Amino acid sequence: SAVMSAMITIELASACGRCLGAGHRDSSAWPPPREEVPRYDSEALLAIANMHDWPVYAASHGRAPRCVVVTRDPLDRLRSLFFYAREGRETWFRTEGVDKTLQRLSPGGDADQTAAVAYFFEAFAWDYLVESQEYLRLNLQQGCVGVQYEELQRDFDKAMSRWLGAWNVTEDPEVRAQLINATRKHAPARQTAANHHATSRLYASGYKAAVKKAILANATVAAEIDRQRGELGYPIAT
């Protein structure tokens, strides 16, 4: 969902002719380290990955920010990250051997995934779960409009209309249609296994269910998922 958010933001900034600022981080580790704000002025800002000082950056431009934050059910965030890491889709997962370890502990199928999930949380996923929620909370506390990833799955055009409204984009139907059309290729429903980031589509439903079961079998993790769901307005259903 983070990559999707970034691609949508880039498409909108390009379509509107706006200078889009982006942050900087010193490493590709997981969970992502704090990002520095840009060292230049911009008209829009991409702050999807732990850029805690973005409110200060926005205030330095002398105008109130209009911001959107994309949220996702925390269980789905975790399960998606599990498969993303298993496929080694970022350098850190490969250099640290995370992908190979997960492949060894979790060869696939509907077998018990307890060992693989335990390693997953010990290596980085617990910290990611806590820190990513902290950043979502910061954005919501700053007044950002929350758009659920699940909304974008169910009705992309409707969710994007709400996104554009949060940014105070003109309600001219023709303009809205053009902007939504420019972003539609990034809709979750349109992604296939050919997308480098859509790794969960590579696996059978039985395997994904086994990973979900192992995640929820950890009482501490299950309780944290419920807590985060409550904060984000998702049903508590673990």
Side-chain angles (χ1 to χ4, degrees), residues 27-215:
S27 81
S28 60
W30 276 80
R34 294 283 181 99
E35 277 196 352
E36 296 180 12
V37 299
R39 298 173 185 175
Y40 52 87
D41 289 338
S42 63
E43 297 168 289
L45 179 65
L46 184 61
I48 61 170
N50 233 9
M51 189 189 292
H52 284 243
D53 289 336
W54 75 256
V56 177
Y57 177 84
S60 72
H61 287 66
R63 53 186 181 272
R66 301 186 183 98
C67 51
V68 166
V69 57
V70 176
T71 64
R72 189 177 186 181
D73 184 291
L75 176 57
D76 290 335
R77 291 206 320 264
L78 284 171
R79 189 168 58 172
S80 176
L81 179 59
F82 180 92
F83 294 119
Y84 188 60
R86 186 185 185 279
E87 288 297 308
R89 292 297 168 93
E90 291 197 16
T91 302
W92 186 81
F93 296 135
R94 299 190 298 273
T95 58
E96 297 298 315
V98 171
D99 56 339
K100 299 301 182 186
T101 302
L102 285 175
Q103 290 165 20
R104 175 175 57 81
L105 295 174
S106 179
D110 56 2
D112 179 54
Q113 302 295 324
T114 300
V117 168
Y119 164 76
F120 173 63
F121 280 108
E122 181 180 351
F124 65 95
W126 175 259
D127 289 342
Y128 161 79
L129 178 64
V130 173
E131 292 179 21
S132 61
Q133 181 72 9
E134 178 186 352
Y135 189 56
L136 291 173
R137 188 187 308 117
L138 179 148
N139 286 296
L140 292 169
Q141 289 172 345
Q142 289 294 322
C144 295
V145 173
V147 174
Q148 294 184 347
Y149 179 82
E150 294 78 7
E151 293 179 71
L152 292 157
Q153 284 181 310
R154 288 191 301 269
D155 190 336
F156 183 80
D157 288 13
K158 182 178 179 180
M160 280 307 305
S161 183
R162 204 159 70 80
W163 183 321
L164 295 174
W167 278 3
N168 201 31
V169 172
T170 176
E171 295 185 12
D172 183 305
E174 184 175 347
V175 174
R176 288 279 181 105
Q178 289 178 359
L179 292 175
I180 291 172
N181 186 58
T183 61
R184 198 173 285 125
K185 61 188 173 186
H186 303 297
R190 292 196 172 197
Q191 305 315 303
T192 68
N195 183 333
H196 180 78
H197 298 279
T199 49
S200 65
R201 296 181 181 273
L202 298 170
Y203 302 107
S205 58
Y207 182 27
K208 290 188 281 189
V211 171
K212 175 182 176 180
K213 180 179 179 181
I215 290 173

